[in-house]
């Protein structure tokens, strides 16, 4: 009698947070935070309605752990928060997280609107997964790491 294990495909949305070695990756939120901590205005370029689903790296690790415990069937599962954040709002949230009162510079482009937001119901149903770290809290965690590397 053989046991068949399922295969899961995890579709990770915009993962942010420090890398495993503690370094910052060149992602949009890290770029905004570096600019803000240097007293510069973050620059948002492109279609200002563009949005992404930002999920903190610790939530992704929790989803992977849950996936390893649920191997009986195969699934394709979105891992995100289910919240779509525009780049302008991201820049403003980065400013708040860093304690800056600086508004972003917005340079509107002609690109089509692209919005990527995870449908999270399947992750909740199959894995019992829901992201626990809000963008506000995740950015505050990232600010602490960014300050160390800016100095």
């Amino acid at each position: 009698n053989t046991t068949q294990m399922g295969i899961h495909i995890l579709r990770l949305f915009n993962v942010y947070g420090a890398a495993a070695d503690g370094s910052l990756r060149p992602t949009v939120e890290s770029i905004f935070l570096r600019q803000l901590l240097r007293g510069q205005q973050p620059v948002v370029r492109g279609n200002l309605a563009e949005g992404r689903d930002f999920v903190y790296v610790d939530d992704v690790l929790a989803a992977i752990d849950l996936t390893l415990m649920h191997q009986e069937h195969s699934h394709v599962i979105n891992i995100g928060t289910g919240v779509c954040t525009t780049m302008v709002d991201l820049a403003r949230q980065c400013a708040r997280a860093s304690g800056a009162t600086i508004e972003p510079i917005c340079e509107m482009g002609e690109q089509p609107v692209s919005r990527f937001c995870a449908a999270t119901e399947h992750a909740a149903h199959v894995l019992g997964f829901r992201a626990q770290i809000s963008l506000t809290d995740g950015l505050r965690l990232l600010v602490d790491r960014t300050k160390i590397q800016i100095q």
Side-chain angles (χ1 to χ4, degrees):
N1 190 4
T2 61
T3 303
Q4 184 175 355
M5 292 182 60
I7 297 172
H8 295 308
I9 297 170
L10 299 182
R11 295 175 44 193
L12 308 180
F13 281 69
N14 283 65
V15 180
Y16 70 100
D21 65 359
S23 65
L24 291 174
R25 302 170 323 144
T27 55
V28 66
E29 69 285 341
S30 293
I31 292 167
F32 287 166
L33 288 171
R34 281 188 183 105
Q35 291 169 331
L36 288 158
L37 292 170
R38 291 181 180 134
Q40 303 167 341
Q41 286 179 277
V43 180
V44 179
R45 292 183 177 94
N47 192 311
L48 301 181
E50 180 177 311
R52 299 286 181 269
D53 184 333
F54 292 92
V55 59
Y56 194 70
V57 65
D58 290 357
D59 278 330
V60 172
L61 294 174
I64 292 169
D65 284 345
L66 288 168
T67 301
L68 294 172
M69 292 187 283
H70 294 86
Q71 291 293 318
E72 60 278 354
H73 300 287
S74 297
H75 296 275
V76 176
I77 304 169
N78 293 333
I79 303 299
T81 63
V83 177
C84 190
T85 303
T86 67
M87 295 301 114
V88 175
D89 191 41
L90 176 65
R92 288 182 177 138
Q93 288 196 48
C94 285
R96 282 193 296 276
S98 68
T101 56
I102 300 170
E103 275 294 310
I105 296 170
C106 298
E107 297 177 358
M108 182 66 172
E110 296 298 320
Q111 298 88 347
V113 176
S114 62
R115 296 176 68 84
F116 298 98
C117 188
T120 59
E121 298 81 10
H122 195 59
H125 175 72
V126 172
L127 303 176
F129 172 77
R130 291 212 184 274
Q132 299 299 306
I133 301 170
S134 69
L135 182 57
T136 300
D137 291 340
L139 289 172
R140 285 188 189 127
L141 292 168
L142 193 54
V143 163
D144 292 339
R145 298 244 176 139
T146 305
K147 283 182 181 175
I148 292 167
Q149 293 190 18
I150 296 292
Q151 298 171 351

